[in-house]
Amino acid sequence: MSKALKWTLIITAGLLVFGVVAFNAMRMQAKKHSPELTVNYTREDIVLSVNYSRPSKKGRKIFDGLVPFGKVWRTGANEATTFTTSRDLTIDGKVLPAGKYTLWTIPGLDTWTFIFNSKQYGWGIGFDGEASMDPTFDVLRTEVRVDRLLEPVEVLDITFDDSEALELVLEWDQTHVAVQLSIK
C-alpha cells in the first residue's frame, strides 16, 4: 500500500470519527434543553405509548411564532415523535392499525390536524428547517378543535386521558388539543 493511500485512509477515518463524536455531542446538547419522555397508557390488553422531546416556552411566542400555523410540525423537538399502539384504534371513524407511527401535527388557530405516518425518521427536520415528513406514508389524518387554556403550560406535555373517553392530549403555551381514540 502506498504512503499516500495510507495517509488518505488515516485522515478519512479520523474525519469520520470526529464527525460521529461531534454529531452525538450535538444531540446530547439538544436533549439537555428539550428532554426526552415516553408516556405510556395500559388498560387490559392495550398498550399505547408516545415518545417525544419536550421543548420549553421560555418566554417565546409558540404557536404562529416558533411553530407556524398551517405547516407540518414534528410535534416536539429533536427526533420525530413516535406513537405506538398494540391494538387497532378507531380515530374519527377511521382505523389506525396496531403498530408504530411518527406523529406529526399541523397547528392552526381554531383546528389542528394530527397525522399518523408509518415511516420512521431519524430527526424531525431537514437541513432546510422544514419537517422531514413524507406524506405518501400517511396512514391517518384527523382534524381536532383547539381549546384555549387560561394558564400557559411552560413545557410541551403529551398525555393520555381516559376520564371520560380515551384521548391523546397535547398542551403547550395556552393551547389544548385532544384526539379521541377508540379501541377497535
Side-chain angles (χ1 to χ4, degrees), residues 151-177:
E151 293 294 320
V153 174
E154 176 64 25
V155 179
L156 173 64
D157 194 30
I158 300 176
T159 58
F160 293 101
D161 180 7
D162 69 352
S163 56
E164 293 180 24
L166 179 57
E167 293 180 321
L168 173 64
V169 178
L170 182 150
E171 292 182 332
W172 196 20
D173 196 8
Q174 291 185 282
T175 298
H176 170 102
V177 288

Side-chain angles (χ1 to χ4, degrees), residues 89-96 112-114 116 140-145 166 178-183:
L89 299 174
T90 303
I91 300 172
D92 197 21
K94 300 169 245 179
V95 175
L96 180 68
W112 277 36
T113 301
F114 277 74
F116 297 85
L140 190 144
R141 284 182 176 230
T142 188
E143 195 169 290
V144 298
R145 70 180 169 81
L166 179 57
V179 175
Q180 191 164 354
L181 310 171
S182 298
I183 301 165

Side-chain angles (χ1 to χ4, degrees), residues 2-72:
S2 75
K3 237 181 182 177
L5 182 58
K6 266 188 193 175
W7 278 108
T8 301
L9 290 174
I10 289 170
I11 291 170
T12 302
L15 288 173
L16 182 64
V17 168
F18 175 77
V20 168
V21 169
F23 178 74
N24 284 328
M26 181 205 60
R27 284 182 70 186
M28 297 319 288
Q29 186 67 18
K31 287 188 182 227
K32 195 184 325 178
H33 298 291
S34 299
E36 192 172 352
L37 180 66
T38 299
V39 177
N40 295 304
Y41 173 85
T42 305
R43 187 179 78 201
E44 297 164 13
D45 64 339
I46 186 166
V47 178
L48 305 174
S49 69
V50 174
N51 180 272
Y52 68 109
S53 292
R54 305 180 71 208
S56 297
K57 181 172 168 48
K58 296 180 186 170
R60 301 176 289 186
K61 180 180 180 183
I62 300 302
F63 298 111
D64 204 26
L66 178 66
V67 178
F69 283 159
K71 293 179 96 176
V72 174

